[in-house]
Amino acid sequence: MRLLQNLLSPASPGAGGLTVLLLLLDLITPAATVKHENFKTCSQSGFCRRNRAFADDAIAAGDKWSSPYEVKEDTIALQNGVLTAEILKTVPGLQEKVVLPLTIKFHKTGAVRVTIDELKRQKGEIELKGQSKARKERYHETERWALVPDWDIRDEKVVYDNRKGQITLKFGPESKYKAIVTANPFSVKFERDGETHIVFNDRGLMNVEHWRPQPPAPEEGKEKSPEDLDGGWDETFGGNTDTKPRGPEAIALDITFPGYEHVYGIPSHATSLSLKTTKGGDGAYSEPYRLYNADVFEYIVDSPMTLYGSIPFMQAHRKGSSVGVLWLNAAETWVDVVKEKPKKILPIGGKSEDTKTHWISESGLLDVWVFLGPDPATLYTSYGALTGYTKMPPSFAIAYHQCRWNYVSQEDVKDVNKKFDKHDIPYDVIWLDIEYTDGKRYFTFDPLTFPDPMSMMKNADKTERKVVLIIDPHIKNTENYDIVDELKSKDLAVKDKDGNIYEGWCWPGSSHWVDAFNPAAFEWWNSLFTFDRFKGTTKNTFIWNDMNEPSVFNGPETTMPKDNIHFDNWEHRDVHNLNGMTFMNATHQALEARQDSKGRTQRSFVLTRAFFAGAQRLGAMWTGDNEAKWEHLQAAFPMLLSQGVAGFPFSGADVGGFFGNPSKELLTRWYQSGIWYPFFRAHAHIDAKRREPYIAGDPYTRIIREAVRLRYALLPAWYTAFHRASQDGMPILRPNFVVHPDDEEGFALDDQAYLGDTGILVKPVVSEGVETVDIHLGDNEVYYDYWTYKIYQGKGLKNYPAPLDQMPVLMRGGHIIPRRDRHRRSSGLMKYDPFTLVVVLNDKGNAEGHLYHDDGESFDYQKGHYIHRKFTFDSATKSLSSTDLHQDPPTAEAYNKVVKSLLVEKILIVGVSKAIKASVLAKSKNKATILEDGKYRKASMVYTPAQDNTFGDTLLIRNPKVRIANDWTVYLDKKDAGGAVKDEL
Ligand SMILES: *[C@@H]1O[C@H](CO)[C@@H](O)[C@H](O)[C@H]1NC(C)=O
């Protein structure tokens, strides 16, 4: 978030008048969108410009081009599943070749890692410019933060064959994957099922800018040395000069996906799910996708411009195959995407195009992971085995969050709380933005407006509600503030290039930044959040980390200078995209370390704005400062789908739009869309009018209430989807191509999605004045309208009525949806509520579904204290049964006793005539037969015929009272229940 007034307010000493003036000039823009000129284009970023030019030259030279990289064959060795070799780079005019150590590692899951380093820099045999204290090696610690601690599980059964300059490595499950390394010029081809799926340096665009001393300036009239790279030494942008103590050091590689027309991922960009071309082709974009975490407020939509977070994971998908790459580099990165007709014969199922990508990073190792699929689910599982799966959040975190900048006082908070109850709208969390603090000093409350935060926390807790407080990484540089004193005395702040504590501007004015790369900073951060130390916080207080790109108002591109120095003398340049995640990690650990008076801990909830691959292990993200405009509502769904593909599904966009004032229609449509965001929060700028959902009045408030209630009813399904994501990386909100991987018409679809495994298909209305939408069905299965059970069937587009009070929601046949239908004020108050199971039969009369449930707050689930059920409706026995999916049932016994009273109150079967005839139902006298704990009993059934054959008929089983934690079977026809039943009933 951003506001001019805040910069005008308490100006601290230390910043020169000129800086302030420049800042103001910079920010006084009534214009509604981001100032492009504050952010670099590729041509304004030296290393991107150089590498794009290098690519242009290579491509223009065509067959005459030869990549100057060659594997020195006598250095090749394979040991314990790791191939090592030296790559030699030929440099024109240089006798000596540059030595680049290569390693190829094979992971148990079939993933492969290719890493290229630089020998001179490994050995520290280079000179830095000036007095710099920066490290001499290429940055190689991205894995420490991005990958799970136990990522290095080798496949040691790699089979290796080296002949005629070609090294073939067989690996992966049943050794059916192949990596073929060509020595000269260096390239790697990855094969699966006898087809090539991924090629490195296919186009010869690989480039490793080796270290060299800065050549002297050329004499008058002489050409400059070819070693004197354009923009390689120091670079000035927007009045800030980057001193580049190590000179040019970029790395680049082209990665081709032959026969793949669609690539997804590399969030965050306000763009379509299926990535567009950035060079030539249809001319969609002319700039590469950029990954450089930045505070790009009021961002424009449909753009490859960088945003707040970066995940350099890309998936390529075609009918019959999904593969991916992780570019493990946290420096500024640009990615060009080109689609071309292939010259060669197409692979089976291959479409008419190859996708060719070109990755360029400013510094660090060339370090790429390859995943060979073969399908989306397997791909996500193997990617998650490296970067981790979604953290299981506390259950309140997936309910509704109410935020604005700002709820101005504790009375205001209590008033909002009361009004939600008065209007019967459930919510779980109220949020406090920066104004709650005492003059932007984090870990304090403003004594005038929040004199007694404890009473506010307790008031929220009465209805099981939570309070989230913002805590940012910039620490106010001021007198009499213990936090900044400790930051300085413990030496835990980021340094400038000269090794002095770095000072810049943010909300508090002059500030310093916590260096969360320092292990000692973690320890200190932990100590700040204890209930003793952070007075006014309680068990129901959680944290929001904003501005952690980091945002620095007077820094280059609104962030930190790249030559700033972090812990262990790494330059900010190397770690920029990791910065936000390390800070989020520290906050996450601090929240998990908090103990109540009985020594109990609980799950954390942290929302972050900046992120990198792996941040899914820590909490949630949102898409930053969007606008109250229809196009921003449209942009949100594709962005969130992209987050899911890239392994970080716990994501949301500000409901209502952060900047500006949405019309009542837009606000209502945004809620109808927002209830499908994995992270569901409304937020508004300080200048925006109040827009809590009760303000609009009916019919808007009524429609919003219905929408929010639907989210609450489906919380068991959401929680189950989160659980799956936490186990195997399957996205929570799934795009069409994930659910129907062979439906080519749906590969680019990003305005509709499925909720987990529930078969619920939604297509939110994101345009003004719309009365109907077209929903694409990815298969020929039967789909039912969520409310009316109207049938939609047949692959392709189906028209669906969508006036303002109707949300387009379908249920795909073959699924069972767990719900809780009683209206409560918060999810915490639903704890003991009974469940409803909606059984949606498929064309064959069968259905299956899952439920995961635990206490929603403690870590006991890790000890087995959870319920995990599988529900199956079988048309042969006309019965619904519940079976156990628990991994270790004895460990669940204690918990099962706690949840003994949790029952199923309703079973609703949709499309019932697919499994059983109404006449048979009549014979059973509208009684279902239930078998539970070895005993039979009955429950009444109500059959509702369809009004005509364009609707599904339903059967409601009332109060079966089966236990949610138990095994049981409900038979529709007594005859199927077995011989014993006649005697007992
Ligand atoms: C947090 O950072 C620590 C390093 O201090 C690392 O070991 C740990 O894996 C990170 N935690 C998560 C959940 O990413």
Side-chain angles (χ1 to χ4, degrees):
M1 45 169 184
R2 277 259 167 174
L3 182 79
L4 180 62
Q5 287 92 300
N6 285 71
L7 292 166
L8 289 166
S9 64
S12 314
L18 181 65
T19 326
V20 177
L21 185 67
L22 285 175
L23 253 167
L24 296 183
L25 289 177
D26 202 35
L27 291 167
I28 299 177
T29 36
T33 54
V34 61
K35 294 183 75 191
H36 259 291
E37 60 274 26
N38 285 350
F39 297 93
K40 291 181 184 175
T41 59
C42 176
S43 65
Q44 289 168 323
S45 176
F47 75 94
C48 186
R49 178 170 73 232
R50 292 195 295 276
N51 278 285
R52 247 192 170 188
F54 181 86
D56 289 342
D57 290 349
I59 291 161
D63 292 343
K64 290 196 207 79
W65 176 255
S66 172
S67 171
Y69 298 87
E70 169 188 357
V71 178
K72 192 162 177 259
E73 295 210 42
D74 60 6
T75 61
I76 300 168
L78 182 77
Q79 218 176 19
N80 305 331
V82 181
L83 179 118
T84 53
E86 281 178 5
I87 294 178
L88 300 180
K89 174 186 182 186
T90 306
V91 182
L94 261 196
Q95 202 80 113
E96 197 188 337
K97 297 191 178 187
V98 179
V99 181
L100 306 172
L102 164 75
T103 57
I104 305 184
K105 280 189 181 177
F106 299 86
H107 192 265
K108 201 91 192 152
T109 55
V112 194
R113 181 186 197 175
V114 177
T115 310
I116 299 173
D117 204 336
E118 185 179 348
L119 190 64
K120 269 205 168 148
R121 291 194 47 188
Q122 276 184 343
K123 293 186 171 170
E125 291 170 354
I126 66 165
E127 302 293 322
L128 302 183
K129 287 167 55 197
Q131 306 297 311
S132 175
K133 302 239 169 34
R135 290 274 286 262
K136 293 181 172 175
E137 306 103 292
R138 284 184 174 271
Y139 185 66
H140 48 69
E141 293 188 355
T142 308
E143 67 179 41
R144 256 193 59 194
W145 300 100
L147 304 187
V148 294
D150 58 348
W151 65 267
D152 196 0
I153 308 167
R154 305 262 175 88
D155 174 359
E156 300 198 351
K157 289 190 304 223
V158 179
V159 183
Y160 155 92
D161 173 55
N162 181 8
R163 72 180 80 155
K164 283 187 267 153
Q166 226 180 46
I167 306 138
T168 303
L169 298 137
K170 286 193 193 148
F171 63 99
E174 297 148 37
S175 297
K176 61 182 183 187
Y177 300 165
K178 257 194 231 168
I180 302 168
V181 182
T182 303
N184 190 13
F186 169 73
S187 74
V188 194
K189 239 197 277 183
F190 297 90
E191 292 185 0
R192 192 200 69 227
D193 308 324
E195 287 173 0
T196 304
H197 294 271
I198 297 177
V199 191
F200 285 2
N201 206 25
D202 183 38
R203 295 187 287 162
L205 312 186
M206 174 166 149
N207 192 21
V208 179
E209 293 180 345
H210 58 278
W211 181 83
R212 82 276 324 259
Q214 182 170 10
E219 285 167 37
E220 276 280 314
K222 291 256 169 73
E223 280 209 12
K224 70 175 193 177
S225 150
E227 289 286 84
D228 190 358
L229 296 188
D230 153 40
W233 308 102
D234 33 50
E235 221 177 331
T236 301
F237 180 79
N240 287 281
T241 299
D242 174 9
T243 59
K244 304 196 186 194
R246 298 177 305 221
E249 52 176 332
I251 48 143
L253 180 70
D254 64 272
I255 302 176
T256 296
F257 302 97
Y260 289 86
E261 199 177 354
H262 293 276
V263 289
Y264 313 102
I266 58 166
S268 178
H269 300 97
T271 185
S272 51
L273 173 66
S274 175
L275 299 174
K276 298 185 181 183
T277 59
T278 60
K279 247 183 134 185
D282 57 6
Y285 296 143
S286 57
E287 286 288 307
Y289 285 97
R290 188 183 188 203
L291 295 167
Y292 189 60
N293 298 355
D295 186 354
V296 187
F297 62 103
E298 295 184 329
Y299 52 86
I300 50 168
V301 298
D302 194 12
S303 165
M305 222 174 139
T306 198
L307 288 177
Y308 307 86
S310 301
I311 303 179
F313 173 76
M314 182 183 275
Q315 173 177 11
H317 181 77
R318 63 168 168 82
K319 194 170 174 175
S321 184
S322 244
V323 297
V325 293
L326 170 65
W327 180 263
L328 195 58
N329 186 300
E332 181 185 346
T333 297
W334 300 77
V335 187
D336 262 319
V337 176
V338 174
K339 296 184 187 185
E340 272 174 13
K341 297 244 180 293
K343 296 185 197 94
K344 292 162 252 148
I345 300 159
L346 294 174
I348 300 155
K351 285 293 285 183
S352 55
E353 288 190 302
D354 293 342
T355 297
K356 301 185 172 183
T357 62
H358 182 205
W359 301 66
I360 308 166
S361 289
E362 184 175 16
S363 68
L365 299 178
L366 198 162
D367 195 0
V368 201
W369 281 95
V370 165
F371 308 89
L372 290 171
D375 51 68
T378 315
L379 178 69
Y380 303 142
T381 300
S382 50
Y383 170 68
L386 292 174
T387 61
Y389 301 114
T390 301
K391 181 186 111 77
M392 202 55 209
S395 51
F396 76 83
I398 64 172
Y400 174 57
H401 300 257
Q402 182 63 44
C403 187
R404 85 167 266 118
W405 180 20
N406 220 90
Y407 291 115
V408 297
S409 65
Q410 60 190 56
E411 276 65 47
D412 191 8
V413 169
K414 285 181 189 170
D415 181 59
V416 170
N417 192 60
K418 209 160 59 200
K419 286 190 172 131
F420 265 91
D421 290 348
K422 182 166 165 241
H423 291 88
D424 247 337
I425 302 167
Y427 91 94
D428 268 54
V429 192
I430 191 150
W431 290 54
L432 294 179
D433 211 319
I434 49 175
E435 312 301 334
Y436 80 87
T437 58
D438 183 6
K440 315 291 185 296
R441 291 169 184 82
Y442 300 115
F443 303 99
T444 68
F445 288 87
D446 186 314
L448 292 177
T449 50
F450 293 88
D452 184 11
M454 232 23 188
S455 77
M456 175 179 71
M457 302 292 173
K458 284 193 179 135
N459 187 58
D461 191 47
K462 275 190 219 154
T463 42
E464 297 264 356
R465 286 177 177 141
K466 323 292 170 189
V467 179
V468 168
L469 304 176
I470 198 167
I471 300 266
D472 290 349
H474 50 258
I475 303 296
K476 185 170 184 161
N477 175 21
T478 185
E479 306 279 298
N480 301 322
Y481 180 31
D482 54 343
I483 306 286
V484 81
D485 293 343
E486 289 180 25
L487 179 75
K488 287 191 204 163
S489 66
K490 291 176 188 285
D491 193 20
L492 298 175
V494 181
K495 307 280 172 52
D496 68 16
K497 66 177 179 359
D498 302 317
N500 304 313
I501 185 166
Y502 171 68
E503 189 250 333
W505 275 64
C506 207
W507 297 127
S510 173
S511 304
H512 300 308
W513 273 261
V514 182
D515 184 12
F517 289 90
N518 186 343
F522 270 73
E523 224 170 287
W524 176 60
W525 204 244
N526 272 358
S527 76
L528 300 181
F529 286 87
T530 62
F531 298 126
D532 286 345
R533 173 93 196 242
F534 193 175
K535 293 270 189 285
T537 65
T538 55
K539 200 169 168 282
N540 63 333
T541 315
F542 296 87
I543 300 296
W544 171 17
N545 287 159
D546 195 5
M547 313 296 275
N548 53 342
E549 296 75 22
S551 177
V552 181
F553 295 160
N554 60 336
E557 301 192 89
T558 328
T559 189
M560 241 176 214
K562 285 175 169 169
D563 47 12
N564 268 8
I565 298 290
H566 288 267
F567 175 70
D568 237 4
N569 289 341
W570 292 114
E571 267 197 300
H572 183 70
R573 174 186 337 278
D574 295 321
V575 300
H576 177 83
N577 285 344
L578 286 172
N579 185 82
M581 184 167 82
T582 59
F583 181 65
M584 181 195 194
N585 183 333
T587 307
H588 155 77
Q589 287 194 11
L591 293 190
E592 285 201 342
R594 293 188 304 184
Q595 292 184 3
D596 69 8
S597 55
K598 295 197 179 106
R600 285 175 304 202
T601 58
Q602 56 174 352
R603 291 179 223 172
S604 74
F605 171 72
V606 183
L607 177 73
T608 187
R609 194 170 71 182
F611 54 87
F612 190 72
Q616 65 271 16
R617 308 196 300 268
L618 304 162
M621 62 70 73
W622 94 109
T623 62
D625 297 349
N626 60 0
E627 292 184 63
K629 290 183 174 163
W630 288 95
E631 61 261 36
H632 275 265
L633 171 58
Q634 280 154 28
F637 235 55
M639 290 175 80
L640 304 186
L641 291 175
S642 178
Q643 286 291 134
V645 161
F648 192 177
F650 194 5
S651 58
D654 284 345
V655 169
F658 179 64
F659 290 105
N661 296 302
S663 68
K664 290 178 181 181
E665 180 188 351
L666 175 57
L667 185 69
T668 306
R669 288 302 198 189
W670 214 316
Y671 271 95
Q672 291 178 332
S673 192
I675 63 164
W676 306 107
Y677 300 168
F679 171 62
F680 174 33
R681 182 186 75 154
H683 188 30
H685 187 271
I686 197 164
D687 290 340
K689 294 195 190 101
R690 288 279 171 136
R691 54 162 106 125
E692 289 68 33
Y694 46 80
I695 287 178
D698 284 343
Y700 306 99
T701 294
R702 172 176 55 77
I703 297 168
I704 294 171
R705 180 189 302 116
E706 287 310 309
V708 178
R709 281 180 171 177
L710 179 58
R711 170 70 170 223
Y712 275 74
L714 290 172
L715 284 175
W718 279 96
Y719 202 59
T720 303
F722 268 83
H723 174 256
R724 171 136 193 223
S726 78
Q727 299 296 302
D728 68 6
M730 263 309 252
I732 292 162
L733 194 64
R734 297 182 193 156
N736 187 83
F737 86 87
V738 172
V739 181
H740 306 291
D742 290 339
D743 173 29
E744 289 176 295
E745 286 162 57
F747 285 173
L749 268 188
D750 57 12
D751 56 359
Q752 60 176 59
Y754 291 83
L755 167 57
D757 291 309
T758 61
I760 290 178
L761 168 60
V762 300
K763 171 144 186 180
V765 174
V766 293
S767 309
E768 193 168 12
V770 160
E771 292 283 319
T772 67
V773 294
D774 287 329
I775 304 188
H776 173 83
L777 303 186
D779 61 4
N780 286 318
E781 189 51 78
V782 58
Y783 288 72
Y784 296 94
D785 178 82
Y786 187 86
W787 288 277
T788 65
Y789 315 122
K790 186 173 162 52
I791 293 169
Y792 292 82
Q793 195 161 18
K795 204 164 174 301
L797 288 177
K798 296 284 171 274
N799 195 257
Y800 186 104
L804 190 62
D805 61 357
Q806 202 169 334
M807 279 179 280
V809 185
L810 296 178
M811 301 184 286
R812 181 173 181 269
H815 301 265
I816 298 174
I817 305 161
R819 290 197 318 216
R820 275 175 152 170
D821 285 351
R822 304 202 179 176
H823 304 312
R824 304 280 181 196
R825 285 168 291 177
S826 72
S827 74
L829 296 175
M830 297 165 79
K831 221 178 287 179
Y832 303 107
D833 281 355
F835 291 84
T836 290
L837 298 176
V838 182
V839 180
V840 189
L841 298 183
N842 65 12
D843 266 336
K844 300 195 172 71
N846 299 316
E848 188 184 303
H850 303 102
L851 174 74
Y852 173 86
H853 181 85
D854 62 25
D855 69 20
E857 55 184 39
S858 79
F859 297 101
D860 288 353
Y861 71 99
Q862 293 167 350
K863 296 186 275 183
H865 295 193
Y866 63 85
I867 300 169
H868 196 192
R869 309 301 304 180
K870 177 176 172 180
F871 306 113
T872 314
F873 188 92
D874 178 16
S875 61
T877 55
K878 301 185 275 300
S879 64
L880 175 69
S881 50
S882 172
T883 50
D884 203 356
L885 288 177
H886 199 289
Q887 283 173 339
D888 187 9
T891 60
E893 272 167 29
Y895 186 60
N896 286 349
K897 285 195 190 113
V898 175
V899 291
K900 221 168 76 182
S901 61
L902 286 187
L903 303 177
V904 176
E905 66 173 341
K906 270 183 287 177
I907 295 170
L908 177 72
I909 302 171
V910 180
V912 63
S913 54
K914 293 188 182 295
I916 186 166
K917 289 200 177 69
S919 57
V920 176
L921 282 176
K923 263 191 258 162
S924 69
K925 303 205 182 69
N926 289 329
K927 297 277 190 228
T929 305
I930 297 167
L931 174 59
E932 184 179 27
D933 293 332
K935 296 202 182 82
Y936 290 96
R937 61 172 190 275
K938 289 178 189 172
S940 70
M941 299 194 289
V942 182
Y943 175 70
T944 309
Q947 60 188 82
D948 61 50
N949 60 10
T950 63
F951 288 81
D953 54 352
T954 62
L955 183 69
L956 178 67
I957 301 168
R958 283 196 174 133
N959 241 336
K961 287 188 186 152
V962 286
R963 290 200 189 121
I964 201 73
N966 244 2
D967 286 352
W968 43 258
T969 304
V970 176
Y971 296 94
L972 302 192
D973 185 349
K974 197 166 75 172
K975 274 208 294 223
D976 297 308
V981 70
K982 288 193 197 90
D983 311 329
E984 285 198 35
L985 288 179

